[in-house]
Amino acid sequence: NRGNVKMRLGKKEEALKDFNKAISINPKIATLYNTKGIILDELRRSTEALAAFNKSIALNPNNAETYYNKGLTYANLGDKLNAVKSYTKCIQIDAKYFQAYVNRGNIKNSEGKFSEALKDFNVAAKLNPTFALIYYNIAVSKAGIGDTINACVDLKKCKSLGFKATDELMKQYCK
């Protein structure tokens, strides 16, 4: 659809117009509202984005991606509680939605809930074991609970997978 092409070209306002037109023609297609929500979030129109995601969910309550995108919008707003709720619902629908575990774990880490974050990151690592950054996140969680020896092991794994920004933490935990 033309709106998707305009989105990829960075013409977000024009893409939004195309999606609004498509919605006016067929207001029962949930994915149109989901994409509209993504565009609105990128335009920093978060309240409208959330309304679009909610409409998408009303039409198709079993689309994990919509809950994920809703979580991103809440996270952008600094609403960690609702972001976590949205990521959790995404995971309930699709237990293999890797990025939802990562984002939920990042929020938990930022709140000092390192053990809870570690659970999410461990699932994410099982789903995508070559994603280097996940081992960095695991290391931060382990360090947060005082397990610096294993944090060092994960930092080394992270670095071996190509993530370069581990040196500062390695100096701190790998003695």
Side-chain angles (χ1 to χ4, degrees):
N1 128 354
R2 193 172 72 179
N4 285 325
V5 172
K6 288 181 180 175
M7 229 173 95
R8 279 187 232 112
L9 294 172
K11 298 178 179 182
K12 295 172 189 164
E13 290 288 352
E14 291 179 36
L16 181 58
K17 287 178 186 174
D18 285 345
F19 276 94
N20 282 333
K21 178 72 174 167
I23 288 168
S24 72
I25 294 167
N26 193 342
K28 303 273 187 212
I29 299 176
T31 57
L32 294 175
Y33 292 97
N34 183 46
T35 305
K36 177 181 177 177
I38 292 168
I39 296 167
L40 288 165
D41 187 52
E42 290 178 5
L43 291 170
R44 306 285 186 249
R45 293 164 57 182
S46 303
T47 303
E48 294 171 82
L50 291 170
F53 294 135
N54 287 335
K55 181 64 176 177
S56 179
I57 289 165
L59 292 168
N60 181 3
N62 296 312
N63 185 341
E65 182 182 2
T66 304
Y67 285 99
Y68 175 76
N69 291 328
K70 189 176 176 181
L72 290 175
T73 299
Y74 278 126
N76 290 339
L77 289 169
D79 186 345
K80 294 177 181 181
L81 177 65
N82 281 310
V84 167
K85 285 180 182 179
S86 295
Y87 295 138
T88 299
K89 184 65 177 174
C90 171
I91 291 164
Q92 287 170 347
I93 295 167
D94 181 357
K96 294 183 179 182
Y97 209 111
F98 164 78
Q99 199 60 46
Y101 288 102
V102 174
N103 289 8
R104 189 172 73 176
N106 284 335
I107 291 171
K108 290 175 181 178
N109 253 0
S110 75
E111 295 176 330
K113 298 175 181 175
F114 301 113
S115 294
E116 290 179 38
L118 192 55
K119 290 176 188 174
D120 281 338
F121 294 144
N122 283 332
V123 172
K126 285 179 184 163
L127 291 172
N128 191 351
T130 60
F131 184 69
L133 185 57
I134 197 64
Y135 298 99
Y136 184 89
N137 293 344
I138 289 170
V140 170
S141 294
K142 286 181 179 177
I145 59 173
D147 186 1
T148 56
I149 292 169
N150 285 312
C152 179
V153 170
D154 289 303
L155 287 170
K156 289 176 182 175
K157 170 109 179 174
C158 177
K159 190 168 187 168
S160 76
L161 290 170
F163 189 72
K164 306 293 184 215
T166 58
D167 292 341
E168 277 303 310
L169 279 183
M170 286 182 83
K171 287 178 192 172
Q172 193 174 351
Y173 300 122
C174 302
K175 298 177 181 173

